[in-house]
Amino acid sequence: MDQKFIRNFSIIAHIDHGKSTLADRLIEFTGALDKRLMKDQVLDKMEIERERGITIKAQTVRLYYDADDGNRYQLNLIDTPGHVDFTYEVSRSLAACEGALLVVDASQGVEAQTIANVYLALDNDLELIPVLNKIDLPGADPEKVKEEIEEVIGLDASEAILASAKEGTGTKEILEAIVNKIPPPKGDLNKPLKAMVFDSWYDSYQGVVTLVRVIDGKIKKGDKIIFMSSKKEYEVGRVGVFTPLSTDVDELSAGEVGFIIAGIKELKDVNIGDTITHPDKPTDKPFPGFKKVKPVVFCGIYPVDTKDYDDLRDALEKLSLNDSSITFEPETSAALGFGFRCGFLGLLHMEIVQERLEREFDLNLITTAPTVIYRVKKKNGEMLEIDNPASLPPIGDIEEIEEPFIKATIIVPSEYLGGVLQLLQDKRGVQKNFNYISEQRVILEYEIPLAEVVIDFYDKLKSRTKGYASFDYEFSGYKPSELVKLDILINKEPVDALSIIVHKDNAYYKGRELVDKLKELIPRQMFDVAIQAAIGNKIVARSTVKAYRKNVTAKCYGGDITRKKKLLEKQKEGKKRMKQIGKVDVPQEAFLAVLKLG
Ligand code: GDP
Ligand code: MG
């Protein structure tokens, strides 16, 4: 299609502000799906897709819109992942567009992810169209939210579109704005092929499906192609678009967006952000800014039962077919035996993977507390990157330790400000900015060690603000910190899987808290269990779990039989997740005790 009539755009929004609902309205309005399919939505669509042997990636769709100017436009709506862990993917999806709808809930206002997404969009030179959604709600205050957009984001909101994605208000105005405000692509059809990979996934029938934005030239079935970063070559087997059903097309040309299937077996052979070209007539310049994503949060994952080790490895291999950003390497722990050190893009990503391992693969696992990568400079000049506290060299050998920091943006209603400022201080945060967005809300910018954020920051932020604070972050780099390793000893034996790295100033206090928490979590046994926290050779806190004397049900004072039963069942349940450390039964929760402090 003539690029004049193509518009590539994304919808960016804070979670729950209405991105998916608005996408549904746009699909419906342009008649891409007939009413019957539209009503039954995703599941039905998936069913149809399965028959065709290809999975659908929700909301990356090609729509045709007959605009008021009498022309028919090809609109490509490009979906972006919704979470901060996947910032790089979001940024690549945005790089495939010329513009974006900036959706803000008119009853909530600008939130942290609104701002983070706007920055990514501006980095990619996108034209932004503000849309104030949910104007049907009684609490909607579009004028105030317009002011917030101008104040906080610095974007002219005078022409913001008032919409209700729920009721369909404003849909046509939005489509007209897409056509009139977002610039068309400016590629060159006659130049060698240059296409950017912005998404890919594994389909069990088709192998790897790759979404591309063609910058210059064209790509069609039968073409030999090369991925410029990995240098891997393939032959294109299918080219198509989602309408939202997958539909084969003859070719994708400059400015267009679609999928290719090229006999690629493994997801890890396709890098997001990579450039595809023709090996015999290559583009001289790959798409700029390619970077390989690296995990930033790590934890140990161990089977409770040693004989499940092979199943765990198989499960991790299967999961990484669909998610090439997971890394895993065999690891041995004196306490936990054989397992894996796994790397993730962020906390949410880690939680999703852990949950899938347990739910989909029915594995009984022990996971250790999340850590970041520390850079350790030894006195002998050697540099180490440490993703497991247990592998930190002895204090005496260390010259300096550097840890990763983030720049956090937090928006909080002023009534909760006190609690949030305290939390940020507890987390070693340094204030960089403090501004009132309106009389009721404050935007904060802090620099915080990532290690403090991977440990229960988000949960605490939510509980201290009744869920009303929003949070987003980006990396700001490595800096030296005074860090020490805190070891935990159970009955005098150090338990490597319980070691954590903490700031020197908090070490005593953290040691005390951790020992107390472990005392709560480790059940009584036939003998006393001594729990100690140590820094180097120095014990900084101790506590004892006393041996039990009587039957546990004695606690119930005879009475309620169902309660007794429940208690016994709970114990049995707990038993499944026990790991024997020496002679002591230690429950899974103990290995995550550090997440539950304070
Ligand atoms: P997303 O997280 O940005 O994709 O948000 P969703 O599209 O899933 O919407 C979040 C919630 O807001 C859902 O319960 C929607 O039904 C609701 N919602 C979306 N748009 C509107 C709207 O215009 N008005 C009202 N009242 N609710 C809406
Ligand atoms: Mg959504």
Side-chain angles (χ1 to χ4, degrees), residues 88 92 95 192-199 210-216 219 224-234 260 269-279 281-291:
Y88 181 66
R92 291 307 82 188
L193 171 67
K194 172 152 93 181
M196 197 252 310
V197 175
F198 65 89
D199 200 356
T210 304
L211 290 186
V212 297
R213 156 71 196 266
V214 181
I215 314 285
D216 295 323
I219 186 167
K224 293 242 175 351
I225 54 165
I226 180 166
F227 287 76
M228 292 178 86
S229 78
S230 66
K231 308 269 188 299
K232 298 223 161 143
E233 290 193 31
Y234 300 94
I260 59 165
D269 292 333
V270 178
N271 293 315
I272 305 298
D274 201 354
T275 303
I276 295 175
T277 192
H278 289 135
K281 197 176 162 231
T283 174
D284 49 355
K285 276 200 226 99
F287 193 79
F290 169 71
K291 94 183 177 208

Side-chain angles (χ1 to χ4, degrees), residues 202-317:
Y202 182 79
D203 177 285
S204 41
Y205 297 97
Q206 304 275 340
V208 175
V209 181
T210 304
L211 290 186
V212 297
R213 156 71 196 266
V214 181
I215 314 285
D216 295 323
K218 55 184 152 191
I219 186 167
K220 58 181 188 317
K221 186 176 166 175
D223 279 2
K224 293 242 175 351
I225 54 165
I226 180 166
F227 287 76
M228 292 178 86
S229 78
S230 66
K231 308 269 188 299
K232 298 223 161 143
E233 290 193 31
Y234 300 94
E235 188 179 312
V236 178
R238 276 179 76 181
V239 178
V241 297
F242 295 108
T243 64
L245 305 178
S246 69
T247 312
D248 286 36
V249 297
D250 296 334
E251 61 176 35
L252 293 172
S253 62
E256 292 188 319
V257 169
F259 70 82
I260 59 165
I261 292 171
I264 305 170
K265 296 278 183 300
E266 294 198 51
L267 197 53
K268 66 174 157 51
D269 292 333
V270 178
N271 293 315
I272 305 298
D274 201 354
T275 303
I276 295 175
T277 192
H278 289 135
D280 45 357
K281 197 176 162 231
T283 174
D284 49 355
K285 276 200 226 99
F287 193 79
F290 169 71
K291 94 183 177 208
K292 226 175 145 74
V293 288
K294 284 210 201 90
V296 293
V297 180
F298 293 79
C299 76
I301 301 186
Y302 292 82
V304 171
D305 193 337
T306 339
K307 67 178 192 311
D308 289 342
Y309 177 81
D310 288 331
D311 289 346
L312 174 57
R313 190 192 37 231
D314 289 350
L316 284 166
E317 269 163 13

Side-chain angles (χ1 to χ4, degrees), residues 453-589:
V453 173
V454 304
I455 293 199
D456 82 347
F457 175 75
Y458 198 42
D459 286 346
K460 283 214 172 102
L461 181 68
K462 277 196 296 197
S463 69
R464 288 189 190 192
T465 61
K466 300 218 170 81
Y468 284 113
S470 61
F471 162 71
D472 207 289
Y473 68 83
E474 63 186 16
F475 285 95
S476 61
Y478 274 81
K479 283 204 289 194
S481 289
E482 296 212 45
L483 301 169
V484 292
K485 181 164 66 126
L486 185 73
D487 292 314
I488 298 293
L489 292 78
I490 293 186
N491 279 351
K492 303 272 166 65
E493 287 299 318
V495 181
D496 56 356
L498 286 172
S499 294
I500 54 172
I501 290 175
V502 293
H503 194 268
K504 211 178 79 200
D505 295 346
N506 303 334
Y508 279 75
Y509 164 73
K510 279 262 157 81
R512 179 76 255 159
E513 272 202 311
L514 194 52
V515 161
D516 288 344
K517 196 69 189 175
L518 287 168
K519 185 185 169 192
E520 264 173 50
L521 293 170
I522 296 177
R524 291 178 174 229
Q525 327 243 334
M526 303 295 287
F527 42 84
D528 281 4
V529 178
I531 306 167
Q532 296 169 304
I535 298 169
N537 294 324
K538 194 161 158 210
I539 303 293
V540 298
R542 73 180 80 223
S543 200
T544 307
V545 181
K546 287 280 179 208
Y548 59 59
R549 277 164 235 146
K550 294 200 189 82
N551 190 317
V552 276
T553 53
K555 263 199 262 175
C556 298
Y557 309 110
D560 188 344
I561 187 75
T562 55
R563 193 166 149 215
K564 259 190 208 174
K565 253 198 195 140
K566 264 199 197 130
L567 191 61
L568 285 172
E569 254 158 40
K570 225 172 139 192
Q571 279 218 325
K572 228 166 75 193
E573 188 65 19
K575 261 257 146 25
K576 284 198 304 198
R577 294 282 199 110
M578 294 283 186
K579 194 83 189 178
Q580 271 221 323
I581 309 281
K583 278 189 293 181
V584 182
D585 283 330
V586 180
Q588 149 77 54
E589 293 73 42

Side-chain angles (χ1 to χ4, degrees), residues 397-495:
D397 294 354
I398 298 173
E399 171 86 35
E400 190 177 67
I401 306 179
E402 290 186 356
E403 65 176 332
F405 282 75
I406 56 163
K407 192 189 96 187
T409 303
I410 295 152
I411 294 183
V412 58
S414 24
E415 54 186 304
Y416 303 116
L417 190 58
V420 172
L421 293 178
Q422 184 62 49
L423 174 64
L424 288 162
Q425 194 182 334
D426 293 347
K427 294 289 189 184
R428 297 193 279 137
V430 174
Q431 195 175 88
K432 296 288 172 190
N433 252 315
F434 178 111
N435 279 305
Y436 276 88
I437 299 183
S438 64
E439 269 159 42
Q440 298 86 15
R441 297 200 307 152
V442 175
I443 177 166
L444 303 169
E445 259 177 45
Y446 267 73
E447 193 171 53
I448 317 179
L450 176 63
E452 297 282 351
V453 173
V454 304
I455 293 199
D456 82 347
F457 175 75
Y458 198 42
D459 286 346
K460 283 214 172 102
L461 181 68
K462 277 196 296 197
S463 69
R464 288 189 190 192
T465 61
K466 300 218 170 81
Y468 284 113
S470 61
F471 162 71
D472 207 289
Y473 68 83
E474 63 186 16
F475 285 95
S476 61
Y478 274 81
K479 283 204 289 194
S481 289
E482 296 212 45
L483 301 169
V484 292
K485 181 164 66 126
L486 185 73
D487 292 314
I488 298 293
L489 292 78
I490 293 186
N491 279 351
K492 303 272 166 65
E493 287 299 318
V495 181

